[in-house]
């Protein structure tokens, strides 16, 4: 069984989509609801709808993809209405509402609106959107993360998690964990894309995407080692009450197995979900089931976080 638990909520499958990919419209989200995924997360919302950056703004690569979408989304009201209607239809299902204000004031106003609404599911606060020209991402400014969470938990009482960018220095793992451990977070989701990479075509001597002179976030197979390091690095440092949602480089059931070994309670799949659609969740579930059967594991708790070191 691939059941998992986060913040006292049970999910029948530990796999779901990652924010951003195939989750912008009502139709996208309904397709995930009708699949084998254990939950869905909505495209990161801003207070008002946004068209995003000019195209081409995403390019598939042999080992993943590069994107600089610029937060195209239908606005918070749209997603909040969707998740509340879904909650009325399926009161036992917990899902994830992603928000990504481009300022602290926007995040606070969206969270006030959610706090005052009937929504009882999870909110994934995106501190790591790298693709809005002129806006720094909060996740690399530890003091700003502290200020943000301090102001949020002044009034916000519903289950909240944060989506983090990848960190590349062990001291940074210590520093972000020290801040996050001060707050009653339900989960952290790690990693967002590896930001501001550059893909170029030597034939045409041009960049792969249009926004920001070609700079964009990398997802897919090539980010797996960075993702595993971040899942593991945070699992070793965060309060056990903060669950880890692992994202990055998942293409197979074996990749899911590795994320869980590093400490993930749930995993999200972005790039490969974009390529494969919801059949992905059937395939990965079967692949993970087969690995667990071979190893004699009956539940993901039998191996979660139990990575061996020398
Ligand atoms: C976008 C990209 C991200 O990595 C993110 O976290 C939010 C938004 C985007 O470009 O739309």
């Amino acid at each position: 069984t691939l059941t998992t638990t986060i913040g006292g909520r049970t999910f029948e499958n530990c796999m779901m989509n990652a924010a951003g990919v195939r989750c912008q419209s009502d139709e996208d989200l309904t397709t995930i609801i009708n699949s084998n995924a254990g939950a869905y997360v909505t495209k990161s919302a801003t207070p008002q709808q946004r068209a995003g950056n000019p195209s081409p703004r995403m390019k598939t690569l042999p080992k993943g993809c590069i994107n600089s979408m610029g937060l195209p989304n239908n606005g918070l009201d749209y997603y909040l209405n969707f998740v509340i209607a879904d909650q009325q239809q399926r009161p036992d299902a917990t899902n994830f509402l992603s928000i990504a204000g481009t300022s602290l004031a926007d995040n606070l106003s969206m969270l006030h609106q959610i706090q005052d609404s009937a929504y009882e599911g999870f909110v994934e606060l995106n501190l790591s959107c790298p693709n809005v020209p002129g806006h720094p991402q909060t996740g690399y400014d530890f003091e700003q993360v502290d200020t943000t969470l301090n102001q949020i938990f002044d009034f916000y009482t519903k289950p909240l998690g944060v989506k983090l960018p990848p960190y590349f220095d062990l001291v940074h793992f210590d520093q972000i964990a020290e801040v996050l451990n001060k707050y009653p977070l339900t989960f952290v989701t790690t990693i967002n894309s590896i930001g501001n990479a550059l893909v170029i075509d030597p034939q045409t001597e041009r960049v792969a995407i249009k926004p920001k002179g070609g700079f964009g976030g990398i997802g897919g197979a090539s980010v797996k080692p960075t993702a595993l390091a971040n899942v593991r690095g945070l699992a070793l440092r965060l309060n056990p009450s903060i669950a880890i949602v692992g994202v990055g480089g998942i293409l197979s059931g074996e990749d899911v197995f590795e994320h869980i070994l590093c400490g993930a309670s749930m995993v999200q799949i972005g790039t490969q979900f974009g390529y494969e659609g919801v059949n992905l969740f059937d395939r990965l579930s079967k692949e993970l089931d087969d690995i667990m059967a071979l190893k004699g594991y009956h539940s993901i708790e039998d191996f979660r976080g139990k990575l061996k070191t020398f």
Side-chain angles (χ1 to χ4, degrees):
T1 152
L2 303 181
T3 299
T4 193
T5 302
I6 294 179
R9 315 286 181 102
T10 298
F11 301 87
E12 278 180 29
N13 190 305
C14 62
M15 304 173 200
M16 60 183 289
N17 66 303
V21 182
R22 293 183 188 258
C23 59
Q24 186 171 340
S25 69
D26 184 315
E27 191 188 351
D28 291 334
L29 295 165
T30 301
T31 301
I32 303 172
I33 289 173
N34 292 324
S35 81
N36 221 354
Y40 62 79
V41 58
T42 56
K43 170 69 186 172
S44 291
T46 49
Q48 306 302 327
Q49 64 177 74
R50 288 171 56 96
N53 292 335
S55 293
R57 56 189 188 179
M58 198 271 285
K59 183 157 196 332
T60 65
L61 308 169
K63 297 219 158 151
C65 71
I66 183 168
N67 86 82
S68 180
M69 306 298 287
L71 271 174
N73 79 93
N74 299 358
L76 179 64
D77 288 350
Y78 180 95
Y79 299 106
L80 191 53
N81 287 338
F82 182 91
V83 295
I84 289 171
D86 182 31
Q87 177 179 286
Q88 282 162 354
Q89 290 289 311
R90 306 183 304 141
D92 293 334
T94 295
N95 290 287
F96 295 62
L97 173 64
S98 174
I99 61 168
T102 59
S103 67
L104 174 54
D106 278 1
N107 281 328
L108 292 174
S109 85
M110 288 194 285
L111 286 165
H112 271 293
Q113 186 177 340
I114 297 165
Q115 176 69 33
D116 295 342
S117 78
Y119 183 58
E120 296 295 345
F122 290 178
V123 167
E124 185 180 272
L125 171 66
N126 187 350
L127 299 179
S128 48
C129 174
N131 294 333
V132 179
H135 286 271
Q137 60 164 291
T138 302
Y140 288 140
D141 181 341
F142 303 115
E143 229 175 78
Q144 186 62 15
V145 173
D146 199 357
T147 300
T148 300
L149 294 178
N150 190 47
Q151 297 202 24
I152 288 169
F153 283 111
D154 224 30
F155 67 90
Y156 198 76
T157 59
K158 295 177 177 182
L160 183 77
V162 288
K163 173 88 172 266
L164 299 173
Y167 299 101
F168 302 94
D169 190 299
L170 298 184
V171 172
H172 292 164
F173 287 142
D174 293 338
Q175 290 173 333
I176 190 67
E178 189 183 332
V179 172
L180 299 177
N181 280 336
K182 291 166 60 178
Y183 300 98
L185 289 164
T186 300
F187 64 94
V188 306
T189 304
T190 180
I191 59 174
N192 206 320
S193 57
I194 296 182
N196 294 304
L198 188 61
V199 171
I200 65 179
D201 180 352
Q203 202 68 43
T204 59
E205 305 178 11
R206 195 187 293 280
V207 296
I209 55 173
K210 178 167 179 179
K212 300 198 304 182
F215 285 65
I218 301 286
S222 51
V223 313
K224 189 176 78 169
T226 298
L228 294 177
N230 278 264
V231 171
R232 173 76 168 167
L234 290 170
L236 292 174
R237 289 168 176 82
L238 291 177
N239 299 334
S241 58
I242 305 179
I244 302 200
V245 178
V247 203
I250 294 175
L251 285 75
S252 68
E254 189 169 69
D255 298 327
V256 178
F257 184 78
E258 292 178 7
H259 268 262
I260 296 169
L261 263 187
C262 288
S265 292
M266 184 128 194
V267 300
Q268 298 179 342
I269 301 104
T271 300
Q272 189 63 27
F273 175 52
Y275 294 161
E276 209 170 321
V278 290
N279 289 341
L280 170 78
F281 300 112
D282 301 322
R283 178 175 68 80
L284 297 193
S285 297
K286 182 173 184 317
E287 289 173 3
L288 180 58
D289 268 334
D290 288 349
I291 291 168
M292 288 171 59
L294 272 172
K295 290 173 175 277
Y297 292 141
H298 301 290
S299 87
I300 73 167
E301 290 309 315
D302 290 348
F303 58 98
R304 189 173 64 79
K306 296 186 180 167
L307 181 67
K308 295 172 196 156
T309 57
F310 288 104

